[in-house]
Amino acid sequence: MKIVAKKTFDRKVLDVDVQLEEHKIYALIGANGSGKSTLLKVLSSVINPDTDSSIDIPFKNDEVYYMPQMPYTFDLSVYNNIKLGIPLKYSTGEKIYCKYRIDTMLKTIDLYQLRKANAQTLSGGERQKMALIRSLVVRHNLLLLDEPTSAMDINATLKAEELIIKYKEEFDGTIIMATHSIKQAQRLADVVLFLDNGEIKEIADAQTFIDHPQSDELKDFLQKI
Amino acid sequence: MWASFWQSLGEAFTIIGSGNPLMNEVVATTMKMAVTSSIISFLIGAPLGLLLATYNFKGKKVLVIICRTLMGLPPVAIGILVYLLFRGIGPFGQLRLIFTVTAMIIAQVLLITPVVVGMVETSAESTGKALLETRRGIGLGSTRTFLLMANENKYQLMAAYLFAFARATAEVGAVQIVGGNILHKTMVMTTYIALNYNTGNLEFAVALGIIIVAITLGFNLVGGVLQIIGTRKKKR
Ligand SMILES: Nc1ncnc2c1ncn2[C@@H]1O[C@H](COP(=O)(O)OP(=O)(O)OP(=O)(O)O)[C@@H](O)[C@H]1O
Ligand SMILES: [Mg+2]
């Protein structure tokens, strides 16, 4: 799938023209303000791209799911927050299966005992676990995760990655996830995209990134990790 | 001097305690008018306020300006408008609603709905912004979004209703014009006070005044507390 996306705020923030393959996990790395979230938001129609650019992806709007960098926590139980990820049109059978998946994921990531608690009493990391589970309940043709483990400790991060891998194995959808960790990219992603100043500077697998960074910007970025 | 003040107040409390039939009737008419008009205003105004807080659409600014304008209109202006529309020779004169409780309710709804819209919109606006990315990102439909918006702002919604009710109880200008303060029919607490304090029984008017103050104070107090609870919850 070809992605062409431009976004200008008061200055140019995003100018991307890239060819991606379906059924792969992409990691999006880059410094603060490099445009990672903006790209994901444009792809999911959370914000509109510039009028002179078309975002060109082979999916309908409701086939793309975006987990924001800071998801909203609704004044509901953890369980009901997660259930918002189940489409209303699902049949009873499908809903039962979704609930089974939710329970399994809650247990994997140690949130099961908090499922009935009000979500607004949760810690930052717990809220992020909840939002991640919500995004993994059903299959999305394109799943966009914006730093989904940024608030989690290392154990939780590894468990969250396990959930993402299981989702990929079961549903085989395309995933693009922003992350600040090249290690995480190495563990999860087939392909890494390096975003610098709104442009994709390099595309390769994580190992190549680490062993043979091409641009000075990427060298600089990786050195400090 | 002060003795007369305390004397009137004392007699008023005696009247309240005595279960005077006229007083019961006037209070009942007031409640009928205030409950009905505040419920209608809330049912129209609250969804509209939530909608304005959630979505950006063409004409939204215009709608907000209209609401603000209506909010600022003096009640007597609304009263005169409803009077012109519903008096015998007016466009809706056939309905024979002038000088009935129904006409008073219509005027009250026109007065209070914009206030409800404004209050709900103001208090729900931050939620609308905060959940925008999540709502679009996870593809929440409009029904779900609406219900969630209501749930996130439930305390503010309750407060808005209580304020609307207090306002309906205490309003005088509009209902005086379209209701006419007719004994056994459209006489409500405020119009009795406004029109009968020096022709009828002063202590009776004072008694009604005490009841109004108690109601509006009580409702506004509870409403204020609910607002504070709601704002605190949002800060979490
Ligand atoms: N609504 C907006 N108005 C103006 N500028 C914006 C807006 N949203 C984003 N920007 C700017 O666009 C740039 C890219 O922002 P973006 O959120 O995409 O960065 P990011 O790569 O996700 O960074 P981070 O690692 O901090 O999450 C930033 O410089 C930001 O200030
Ligand atoms: Mg970001």
PDB file of all heavy atoms in Angstrom, chain A residues 36-37 69 146-147, ligand 2:
ATOM      1  N   LYS A  36       5.690  11.467  14.265  1.00  0.00           N
ATOM      2  CA  LYS A  36       5.163  10.103  14.378  1.00  0.00           C
ATOM      3  C   LYS A  36       3.657  10.119  14.635  1.00  0.00           C
ATOM      4  O   LYS A  36       2.882   9.495  13.903  1.00  0.00           O
ATOM      5  CB  LYS A  36       5.858   9.345  15.518  1.00  0.00           C
ATOM      6  CG  LYS A  36       7.365   9.256  15.385  1.00  0.00           C
ATOM      7  CD  LYS A  36       7.993   8.466  16.514  1.00  0.00           C
ATOM      8  CE  LYS A  36       7.865   9.110  17.883  1.00  0.00           C
ATOM      9  NZ  LYS A  36       8.539  10.416  18.018  1.00  0.00           N
ATOM     10  N   SER A  37       3.265  10.829  15.677  1.00  0.00           N
ATOM     11  CA  SER A  37       1.834  10.868  16.005  1.00  0.00           C
ATOM     12  C   SER A  37       1.041  11.497  14.873  1.00  0.00           C
ATOM     13  O   SER A  37      -0.056  11.034  14.535  1.00  0.00           O
ATOM     14  CB  SER A  37       1.604  11.668  17.286  1.00  0.00           C
ATOM     15  OG  SER A  37       2.244  11.040  18.368  1.00  0.00           O
ATOM     16  N   GLN A  69      -1.596   8.376  21.718  1.00  0.00           N
ATOM     17  CA  GLN A  69      -0.486   8.404  22.658  1.00  0.00           C
ATOM     18  C   GLN A  69      -1.010   8.583  24.079  1.00  0.00           C
ATOM     19  O   GLN A  69      -0.492   8.006  25.022  1.00  0.00           O
ATOM     20  CB  GLN A  69       0.446   9.561  22.276  1.00  0.00           C
ATOM     21  CG  GLN A  69       1.771   9.545  22.976  1.00  0.00           C
ATOM     22  CD  GLN A  69       2.780  10.463  22.280  1.00  0.00           C
ATOM     23  OE1 GLN A  69       2.511  11.042  21.230  1.00  0.00           O
ATOM     24  NE2 GLN A  69       3.945  10.614  22.858  1.00  0.00           N
ATOM     25  N   ASP A 146       0.269   4.232  19.062  1.00  0.00           N
ATOM     26  CA  ASP A 146       1.148   5.390  19.288  1.00  0.00           C
ATOM     27  C   ASP A 146       1.851   5.236  20.640  1.00  0.00           C
ATOM     28  O   ASP A 146       1.269   5.529  21.684  1.00  0.00           O
ATOM     29  CB  ASP A 146       0.330   6.685  19.237  1.00  0.00           C
ATOM     30  CG  ASP A 146       1.202   7.891  18.955  1.00  0.00           C
ATOM     31  OD1 ASP A 146       2.438   7.769  19.083  1.00  0.00           O
ATOM     32  OD2 ASP A 146       0.643   8.954  18.604  1.00  0.00           O
ATOM     33  N   GLU A 147       3.069   4.770  20.599  1.00  0.00           N
ATOM     34  CA  GLU A 147       3.862   4.510  21.806  1.00  0.00           C
ATOM     35  C   GLU A 147       3.041   3.765  22.855  1.00  0.00           C
ATOM     36  O   GLU A 147       2.835   4.257  23.967  1.00  0.00           O
ATOM     37  CB  GLU A 147       4.401   5.826  22.381  1.00  0.00           C
ATOM     38  CG  GLU A 147       5.271   6.570  21.373  1.00  0.00           C
ATOM     39  CD  GLU A 147       5.974   7.782  21.978  1.00  0.00           C
ATOM     40  OE1 GLU A 147       6.232   7.769  23.193  1.00  0.00           O
ATOM     41  OE2 GLU A 147       6.270   8.722  21.232  1.00  0.00           O
TER      42      GLU A 147
HETATM   43 MG    MG C   2       3.806  11.290  19.463  1.00  0.00          MG
END
